[in-house]
Amino acid sequence: MTQRIRTSVAAAALLAGSAVLGTTSPASAVPAWAPFATATVKPGVQTLTNGGQCTANFVFYDNNNDVYIGQSAHCASTGGPTDTNGCITGSQPLGTNVTVRGATYPGKLAYSSWRAMQSASTPPTADQCAYNDFALVKLDTRDYGKVNPSIPKWGGPVALNTTGAGWLSSVYTYGNSSLRFGISQLSPKTGVMRLGATGSVWSYRVYTVTPGIPGDSGSAFLDSAGNALGTLSTVSADGSNGVANLNLALNYMRANSSFTTVQLAMGTQAFNPSLV
């Protein structure tokens, strides 16, 4: 069985006394980012949408000088953990407040692939319904000076992966589930691709040590070269995770919404695939 891995603040509190088991768009002017050492808003921070906790993935910006942070579309779901079809599962409305840890002011849910697919003039494919799982949270302008786009521990991204990743190739991620109780050593993880994709170009199947758990949803995944590969979407019974294809998600967004100039922000920190 496959299910989404958003968690709720209430669920995290309940578990606190228990052991936890296991197409290119037009160029935009790059914002002036805060230094990584002092930035408080960056990939890997926790986000909370109507009580559902997830992990932010990458930072984005556009031609309007707006700055966004990414999360999974299912982070705003009104369905249950096993409601994985984004074409029929309900979602919080655009404009919903999203608490972004490290930001002083709430962000706003600006784009949701689930909502976009449900209103698209061209019906989405079954693979898109299952695996197109991406959302943008527009940050408050007063928090822009606190943002850095580098992935904690690993650095990067250095580019957007547009070609996919092969079987057994390395991946790097940074989760931040509240169920880890702030133990930062458990956040950076390495893993490998399992047979490339899940049978769909829209999603990859990966194994990491340890697997992504509830609350890690949306986490950024880098490929072996430090390119932005995808975002954590699902967990399966075999302990593997489904990672949504970021390149296809961005292409879909640009073709089916007003967010045509949104760009992935490159990290200011060099990619370093080492846990040392």
Side-chain angles (χ1 to χ4, degrees):
M1 180 181 70
T2 298
Q3 65 180 47
R4 302 296 182 191
I5 51 176
R6 182 185 76 160
T7 192
S8 68
V9 175
L14 183 64
L15 288 169
S18 305
V20 177
L21 304 177
T23 86
T24 304
S25 64
S28 305
V30 179
W33 304 117
F36 180 78
T38 58
T40 56
V41 179
K42 60 187 78 171
V45 297
Q46 292 179 357
T47 64
L48 296 111
T49 309
N50 198 37
Q53 188 257 303
C54 286
T55 298
N57 44 67
F58 301 99
V59 171
F60 303 85
Y61 60 95
D62 64 18
N63 282 356
N64 295 321
N65 299 316
D66 290 324
V67 178
Y68 309 85
I69 200 159
Q71 66 174 20
S72 289
H74 79 260
C75 295
S77 172
T78 58
T82 59
D83 294 323
T84 60
N85 187 329
C87 293
I88 59 175
T89 304
S91 175
Q92 298 294 328
L94 299 181
T96 295
N97 280 353
V98 179
T99 298
V100 179
R101 297 296 192 197
T104 302
Y105 304 94
K108 301 286 187 182
L109 183 64
Y111 168 80
S112 163
S113 61
W114 282 18
R115 297 188 70 88
M117 290 190 296
Q118 291 174 20
S119 62
S121 57
T122 302
T125 66
D127 282 348
Q128 289 170 331
C129 291
Y131 303 121
N132 186 12
D133 187 17
F134 177 73
L136 284 178
V137 175
K138 184 181 180 296
L139 297 174
D140 190 286
T141 56
R142 292 168 289 184
D143 284 317
Y144 286 5
K146 302 173 182 177
V147 181
N148 185 282
S150 305
I151 308 296
K153 178 56 187 173
W154 306 117
V158 301
L160 176 64
N161 180 308
T162 60
T163 58
W167 180 40
L168 296 184
S169 62
S170 297
V171 293
Y172 304 87
T173 186
Y174 189 93
N176 199 358
S177 173
S178 57
L179 300 183
R180 292 196 178 88
F181 310 111
I183 304 175
S184 60
Q185 297 95 321
L186 300 178
S187 292
K189 294 175 287 183
T190 60
V192 295
M193 298 289 298
R194 174 196 173 196
L195 297 177
T198 58
S200 166
V201 296
W202 280 88
S203 182
Y204 306 101
R205 183 66 59 195
V206 303
Y207 286 105
T208 59
V209 182
T210 57
I213 62 174
D216 287 334
S217 277
S219 302
F221 270 76
L222 302 174
D223 66 17
S224 59
N227 302 311
L229 179 67
T231 61
L232 185 62
S233 181
T234 60
V235 62
S236 295
D238 64 358
S240 64
N241 288 122
V243 174
N245 185 317
L246 180 63
N247 180 51
L248 294 185
L250 293 178
N251 286 344
Y252 188 92
M253 176 185 70
R254 292 167 185 150
N256 293 276
S257 76
S258 62
F259 294 94
T260 58
T261 68
V262 167
Q263 296 286 299
L264 171 71
M266 301 301 118
T268 63
Q269 303 297 106
F271 174 59
N272 178 22
S274 170
L275 277 172
V276 178

